């Protein structure tokens, strides 16, 4: 398996990155920003054989910042080489969003309480499904003020306003976005096949030092943030 | 050996070098930050439209619907717009219409290459007016260089500096040039500018019959591979350009994509916001590290850093950028603003180039 950006291979043994016991070096973490505290990270790691893996654990971002990350290497899914490791960080939270989107089948309109990563993934997947089946996608409304979240919602066709139709859908909190190996494998296949549905959701990328310097508030501005460890 | 026919008929072009497109890293275009392409790719509506148009490719194209949709979008009469096979085709059409051996053609120095190539093809006499030290166009000097019948090419934001012209100075230039001098304002990168640097140029054509506004769907609308550009000008100018336009120059896929792209402005706005945000992050990084750069308003930044020193660190990150010497800026590098992920890699590469002893790819 080879990733699409060779840089990750050559600097995989940087001594400055936090290690994942038994797996190797964390390369990217996708951070869901709940608007309070640091939030959680979904990890993508590269093992000693050059394979990229999406790791199921949702870790507190503080663990990334301190470098004390430990996860179970068995709880991981191999990634296809054509999948950008940065986008692969979306696969674990997407796996949970897929289940959430299943429960919304048939709705003509939805109102999310906010446009965080969880809500955006559900929205993107509903659009993807509608597009594949030539059905009308549900009308999505969301009250948001942050420019990046507003523009992401609008890019995917959502209406950003307060007077939205019912029912109201609470987007899944990041801590609850857990999924099994099978669901993550399905999510990997979806992102690898149609990455452009999900690329707009990555509204920021930074190094660990930049993340530390920005503080928790920087995450709340974004929909999804990718961190290079 | 030179072909004697070429030698006989093309002596005025003997020192013209072909336009060189940006290069991609080995293995694909993923890390190409050398061609100022869109980072997100086309809007979902565009992808759907292209799939649907597959059944129609046996038909000759008509740009009627696309032209109508564009005119409504711009709020100008349909007689004042025309679509072309990329805005580069429009450069050649304008030159064919307005340039001959007696024409003084005014371009910035460094110029946008296609403007100069198209003008020289028509045997125009090209006058280069150096940009100011801050990379902005010296519009007063360009106006002064214009003579009756001139063609004045004004790319704003300029490529390769990325600096946008002051709207007030643009209006002054339009007032200052001879009334029969054609002014072409090329706004390929307009979508990435701050609001205050986006004057209503498409409305200016009502007052200025000698103005052509040139734009493209290649950048913020992400249709570079389909080739779709357009002109806004007085109806008489559009009529004249239409008369020399090759028939069916805009293909069916491009026509459909233009209509679809205009129907989904949210995607374009999102991309533009991401680009402006990542551009600001990069410029702050460059300032923090005392690396010179122009105050770009485009989806690229010209960095005062030798491409030869930067190429290897970029390659190690799977990225390519454009050597400034290809663009008239020797000693500089022009870098397109890519996805947030690509921009992290770019900052890591710059950091490595500044401090060669640092571990490859180590965080800053």
């Amino acid at each position: 398996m080879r990733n699409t950006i060779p840089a990750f291979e050559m600097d995989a043994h940087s001594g400055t990155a936090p290690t994942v016991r038994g797996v190797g070096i964390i390369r990217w973490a996708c951070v869901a920003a709940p608007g309070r505290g640091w939030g959680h990270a979904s990890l993508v790691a590269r093992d000693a054989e050059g394979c990229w893996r999406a790791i199921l654990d949702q870790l507190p971002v503080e663990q990334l910042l301190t470098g004390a990350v430990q996860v179970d290497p068995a709880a991981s899914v191999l990634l296809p080489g054509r999948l950008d490791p940065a986008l692969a960080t979306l696969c674990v939270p997407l796996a949970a969003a897929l289940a959430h989107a299943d429960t919304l089948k048939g709705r003509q309109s939805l109102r999310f309480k906010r446009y965080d990563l969880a809500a955006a993934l559900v929205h993107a997947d509903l659009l993807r499904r509608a597009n594949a089946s030539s059905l009308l996608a549900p009308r999505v409304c969301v009250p948001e003020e942050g420019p990046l979240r507003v523009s992401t919602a609008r890019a995917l066709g959502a209406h950003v306003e307060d007077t939205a139709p019912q029912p109201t859908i609470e987007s899944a909190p990041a801590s609850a976005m857990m999924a099994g190996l099978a669901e993550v494998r399905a999510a990997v296949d979806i992102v690898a096949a149609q990455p452009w549905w999900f690329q707009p959701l990555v509204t920021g990328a930074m190094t660990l030092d930049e993340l530390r310097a920005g503080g928790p508030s920087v995450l709340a501005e974004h929909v999804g943030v990718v961190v290079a460890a | 050996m030179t072909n004697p026919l070429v030698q006989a008929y093309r002596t005025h072009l003997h020192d013209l070098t072909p336009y060189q497109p940006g290069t991609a890293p080995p293995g694909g275009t993923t890390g190409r930050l050398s061609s100022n392409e869109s980072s997100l790719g086309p809007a979902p509506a565009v992808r759907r439209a292209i799939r649907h148009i597959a059944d129609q490719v046996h038909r000759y194209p008509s740009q009627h619907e696309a032209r109508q949709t564009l005119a409504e979008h711009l709020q100008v009469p349909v007689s004042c717009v025309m679509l072309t096979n990329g805005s580069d085709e429009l450069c050649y059409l304008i030159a064919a219409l307005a340039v001959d051996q007696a024409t003084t053609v005014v371009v910035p120095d460094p110029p946008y290459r296609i403007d100069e190539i198209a003008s020289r093809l028509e045997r125009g006499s090209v006058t280069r007016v150096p940009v100011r030290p801050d990379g902005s166009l010296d519009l007063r000097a360009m106006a002064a260089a214009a003579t009756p019948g001139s063609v004045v090419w004004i790319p704003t934001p300029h490529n390769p500096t990325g600096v946008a012209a002051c709207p007030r100075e643009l209006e002054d230039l339009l007032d200052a040039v001879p009334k029969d001098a054609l002014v072409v304002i090329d706004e390929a990168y307009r979508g990435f500018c701050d609001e205050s640097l986006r004057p209503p140029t498409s409305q200016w054509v009502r007052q200025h019959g000698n103005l052509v506004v040139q734009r493209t769907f290649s950048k913020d609308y992400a249709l570079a591979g389909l080739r779709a550009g357009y002109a806004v000008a007085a109806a008489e100018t559009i009529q004249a350009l239409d008369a020399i336009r090759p028939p069916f120059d805009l293909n069916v896929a491009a026509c459909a994509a233009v209509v679809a792209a205009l129907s989904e402005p949210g995607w374009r706005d999102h991309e533009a916001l991401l680009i402006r945000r990542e551009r600001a992050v990069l410029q702050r990084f460059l300032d923090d590290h005392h690396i010179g750069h122009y105050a770009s308003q485009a989806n690229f930044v010209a960095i005062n850093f030798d491409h030869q020193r930067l190429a290897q660190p970029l390659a190690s990150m799977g990225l390519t950028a454009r050597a400034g010497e290809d663009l008239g800026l020797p000693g500089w590098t022009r870098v397109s603003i890519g996805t947030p992920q690509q921009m992290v890699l770019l900052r890591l590469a710059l950091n490595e180039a500044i401090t060669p002893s640092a571990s490859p790819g180590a965080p800053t």
Side-chain angles (χ1 to χ4, degrees):
Chain A
M1 298 280 181
R2 289 178 62 82
N3 66 85
T4 54
I5 304 181
F8 302 129
E9 294 179 0
M10 70 170 291
D11 69 344
H13 299 291
S14 162
T16 57
T19 57
V20 180
R21 188 177 58 191
V23 175
I25 305 298
I26 299 168
R27 298 312 310 156
W28 296 96
C30 177
V31 180
R36 58 185 185 280
W38 278 102
H40 288 71
S42 301
L43 306 187
V44 170
R46 179 180 181 276
D47 69 19
E49 295 175 354
C51 299
W52 286 91
R53 299 171 190 272
I55 298 171
L56 269 61
D57 297 49
Q58 295 273 348
L59 299 173
V61 173
E62 288 88 335
Q63 285 194 22
L64 275 180
L65 298 175
T66 59
V69 177
Q70 293 195 344
V71 296
D72 177 4
S76 67
V77 172
L78 278 182
L79 299 173
R82 67 182 184 280
L83 178 58
D84 183 339
L87 269 189
T89 57
L90 297 179
C91 292
V92 173
L94 175 62
L98 292 175
H100 202 57
D102 279 340
T103 68
L104 303 175
K105 274 181 188 168
R107 300 281 184 90
Q108 292 186 331
S109 62
L110 304 169
R111 184 176 192 269
F112 292 115
K113 283 192 170 178
R114 65 184 72 86
Y115 211 75
D116 58 7
L117 182 64
L121 284 167
V122 169
H123 186 197
D125 192 61
L126 288 171
L127 291 172
R128 181 190 64 81
R129 292 180 197 211
N131 192 62
S133 58
S134 299
L135 295 174
L136 277 181
R139 182 169 184 265
V140 168
C141 295
V142 59
E144 269 291 354
E145 291 182 349
L148 285 168
R149 289 185 173 197
V150 167
S151 69
T152 311
R154 285 187 174 145
L156 294 181
H159 294 265
V160 183
E161 56 190 18
D162 289 326
T163 53
Q166 296 300 320
T168 297
I169 304 299
E170 170 67 271
S171 57
S175 58
M177 291 180 63
M178 301 298 289
L181 280 172
E183 287 81 5
V184 174
R185 283 197 188 98
V188 167
D189 290 342
I190 287 170
V191 177
Q194 295 190 321
W196 48 272
W197 281 115
F198 305 97
Q199 178 66 57
L201 311 191
V202 180
T203 55
M206 53 197 73
T207 64
L208 266 179
D209 281 352
E210 290 169 342
L211 180 62
R212 287 189 190 101
S217 62
V218 72
L219 301 182
E221 298 169 13
H222 289 275
V223 177
V225 175
V226 172
V227 179
Chain B
M1 182 178 288
T2 306
N3 182 318
L5 281 176
V6 172
Q7 206 164 27
Y9 292 112
R10 298 293 179 189
T11 50
H12 65 297
L13 302 176
H14 71 278
D15 61 342
L16 211 54
T17 53
Y19 177 80
Q20 298 289 340
T23 56
T29 56
T30 306
R32 182 160 70 185
L33 299 181
S34 56
S35 296
N36 305 337
E37 295 159 325
S38 157
S39 56
L40 284 187
V46 171
R47 296 170 199 261
R48 277 194 301 273
I50 293 172
R51 276 201 303 273
H52 291 149
I53 207 68
D55 293 336
Q56 297 295 319
V57 296
H58 59 303
R59 302 290 185 195
Y60 284 109
S62 164
Q63 61 169 256
H64 176 75
E65 185 189 1
R67 201 188 276 216
Q68 189 78 41
T69 306
L70 178 62
E72 288 168 12
H73 171 75
L74 296 170
Q75 297 181 313
V76 298
V78 70
S79 58
C80 291
V81 295
M82 69 177 280
L83 286 146
T84 52
N85 186 259
S87 62
D88 287 340
E89 184 192 36
L90 184 57
C91 293
Y92 289 96
L93 293 178
I94 290 169
L97 185 71
V99 176
D100 62 23
Q101 277 176 304
T103 306
T104 298
V105 175
V106 183
V107 297
D109 186 13
Y112 175 55
R113 282 294 317 280
I114 303 297
D115 295 341
E116 189 172 61
I117 291 172
S119 301
R120 291 190 53 190
L121 195 60
E122 302 297 335
R123 301 174 187 264
S125 172
V126 176
T127 298
R128 287 186 175 203
V129 176
V131 298
R132 297 178 182 127
D134 65 358
S136 63
L137 303 178
D138 190 341
L139 294 179
R140 188 174 295 180
M142 292 180 78
T147 58
S150 274
V151 173
V152 185
W153 300 96
I154 310 282
T156 174
H158 186 31
N159 182 5
T161 69
V163 178
C166 165
R168 179 70 239 172
E169 291 183 12
L170 275 177
E171 287 187 283
D172 289 346
L173 176 136
L174 285 166
D175 290 336
V177 297
K179 291 305 167 203
D180 62 349
L182 188 68
V183 177
V184 185
I185 299 182
D186 176 358
E187 300 185 305
Y189 300 96
R190 174 187 174 91
F192 309 107
C193 283
D194 295 343
E195 189 71 37
S196 63
L197 295 170
R198 279 185 265 172
T201 48
S202 59
Q203 303 301 321
W204 288 357
V205 300
R206 296 174 196 269
Q207 290 85 45
H208 298 281
N210 61 336
L211 171 63
V212 176
V213 176
Q214 177 179 342
R215 295 183 189 160
T216 181
F217 282 90
S218 295
K219 306 302 179 182
D220 49 344
Y221 284 104
L223 304 184
L226 288 175
R227 313 307 300 134
Y230 65 91
V232 188
E236 296 78 10
T237 309
I238 293 297
Q239 203 173 10
L241 288 167
D242 243 345
I244 60 170
R245 181 171 67 89
F248 315 123
D249 52 350
L250 200 69
N251 67 52
V252 287
C255 290
V258 164
V259 174
L262 290 170
S263 76
E264 210 165 60
W267 187 272
R268 177 208 58 186
D269 294 345
H270 180 53
E271 160 126 22
L273 183 74
L274 282 184
I275 294 292
R276 286 201 296 273
R277 188 188 172 280
E278 289 299 328
R279 186 179 69 203
V281 170
L282 175 61
Q283 289 173 332
R284 194 164 59 241
F285 175 94
L286 296 170
D287 290 339
D288 290 346
H289 291 79
H290 309 292
I291 302 172
H293 61 92
Y294 290 128
S296 174
Q297 287 284 324
N299 68 340
F300 60 84
V301 175
I303 301 172
N304 192 355
F305 203 94
D306 194 342
H307 181 258
Q308 283 194 330
R309 285 178 60 199
L310 195 52
Q312 180 51 41
L314 284 174
S316 73
M317 298 289 170
L319 304 174
T320 56
R322 193 70 179 270
E325 58 193 7
D326 292 349
L327 307 164
L329 286 176
W332 291 62
T333 302
R334 192 195 67 186
V335 183
S336 306
I337 305 296
T339 61
Q341 299 96 306
Q342 290 169 331
M343 299 312 286
V344 167
L345 298 177
L346 172 65
R347 294 197 291 277
L348 291 171
L350 279 164
N351 201 53
E352 186 187 332
I354 299 164
T355 53
S357 57
S359 300
T364 54

